[in-house]
Amino acid sequence: MIRARNLGAKRRERERKGDVRKLGSIDNCERCKEPYTVIAGLQRFCPDCKPIHTAEYDRNTSIVFYHDNKDRINPPRKIKRRKRPNTCAWCGKEFEPVNGSTTCSDDCKRLDRNRYMREYNKRK
């Protein structure tokens, strides 16, 4: 009860000073200084500038967060980014892939292609 009374008194004081904006009123954007219609109490930007400001704000805060927490963030990222060996589709041997190949050598590639063509011809 006391809290609600205090909040009401503060609101009336802000209204007397002129610090309150009514919904539907016209205000100027903080970025481009163009007039816009107020649709929310804490709105500061016009609909065109809001996504731009949000992207800038996210970019700046995420950089600060990254620098504060990179010791915790980077080790899992390094594991994900590490190149892992592939398994050959024909012989099952592990190898380092080159140009997205699925086989370890030209011989395995030829044998795998022959198997594919045999299965393809059976289906036809």
Side-chain angles (χ1 to χ4, degrees):
M1 180 86 165
I2 296 170
R3 184 169 175 258
R5 194 176 313 146
N6 290 339
L7 287 175
K10 286 181 183 178
R11 180 183 55 83
R12 284 188 295 279
E13 183 65 31
R14 282 196 318 267
E15 285 176 351
R16 274 189 233 116
K17 287 181 180 177
D19 291 342
V20 177
R21 301 180 309 166
K22 300 230 183 259
L23 297 183
S25 64
I26 304 296
D27 198 4
N28 290 330
C29 175
E30 289 184 15
R31 265 183 87 75
C32 65
K33 308 299 185 222
E34 294 292 320
Y36 67 91
T37 304
V38 177
I39 58 173
L42 297 176
Q43 183 179 5
R44 296 168 43 200
F45 305 101
C46 65
D48 297 332
C49 293
K50 184 181 180 214
I52 299 167
H53 170 75
T54 303
E56 287 176 354
Y57 180 78
D58 286 349
R59 190 177 311 116
N60 294 335
T61 56
S62 63
I63 287 173
V64 171
F65 177 83
Y66 172 74
H67 285 298
D68 292 344
N69 297 291
K70 63 183 169 185
D71 297 333
R72 181 175 54 88
I73 294 172
N74 279 342
R77 285 181 67 214
K78 285 180 185 174
I79 292 170
K80 286 183 193 174
R81 294 176 68 191
R82 188 177 304 140
K83 238 180 162 179
R84 292 178 293 279
N86 281 6
T87 305
C88 179
W90 177 255
C91 66
K93 185 172 74 173
E94 285 192 350
F95 71 101
E96 289 295 323
V98 179
N99 296 333
S101 65
T102 58
T103 56
C104 61
S105 65
D106 290 334
D107 292 334
C108 287
K109 182 177 181 178
R110 182 179 49 79
L111 294 170
D112 190 43
R113 181 75 179 158
N114 287 346
R115 177 179 61 191
Y116 172 78
M117 291 307 293
R118 275 194 308 273
E119 291 172 1
Y120 175 77
N121 289 330
K122 281 181 189 177
R123 281 182 271 149
K124 268 179 102 177

